[in-house]
Amino acid sequence: MNSTPSAEQPEQPAFWSLKPLWCQPWSIISTGMLMVGGSWALLHRLWISLLLSLGVLVWWLLFLVLVPAAYRSAAEPNQ
């Protein structure tokens, strides 16, 4: 047995395993699609649906791309 302490950091859990069901990728994507589809179904106004879809795309970029990337980069050891 090796009794010397390990220099490695314990591995962090996967980003999405830390999130509740309402914050999983499938729920973020389906909510955004439901919002845009619902606005079109209820209002039939293209400009409202387009503005809403722009907001949803920004929301997706933030929560599905940027936040997980920041989590991964924070988990990497500093070199």
Side-chain angles (χ1 to χ4, degrees):
M1 265 196 151
N2 188 357
S3 61
T4 59
S6 175
E8 294 180 21
Q9 295 284 339
E11 190 173 319
Q12 285 189 317
F15 178 75
W16 295 113
S17 68
L18 301 172
K19 300 297 175 193
L21 286 178
W22 53 267
C23 198
Q24 294 294 321
W26 62 268
S27 66
I28 294 171
I29 291 171
S30 61
T31 301
M33 290 173 58
L34 192 66
M35 289 172 58
V36 174
S39 76
W40 178 253
L42 291 173
L43 304 173
H44 294 288
R45 297 285 187 253
L46 183 60
W47 68 273
I48 293 174
S49 295
L50 287 176
L51 283 175
L52 188 59
S53 65
L54 181 63
V56 167
L57 288 174
V58 170
W59 177 41
W60 285 352
L61 176 69
L62 178 66
F63 288 107
L64 297 174
V65 178
L66 298 177
V67 171
Y71 177 82
R72 278 191 305 273
S73 67
E76 292 175 356
N78 296 333
Q79 293 179 352

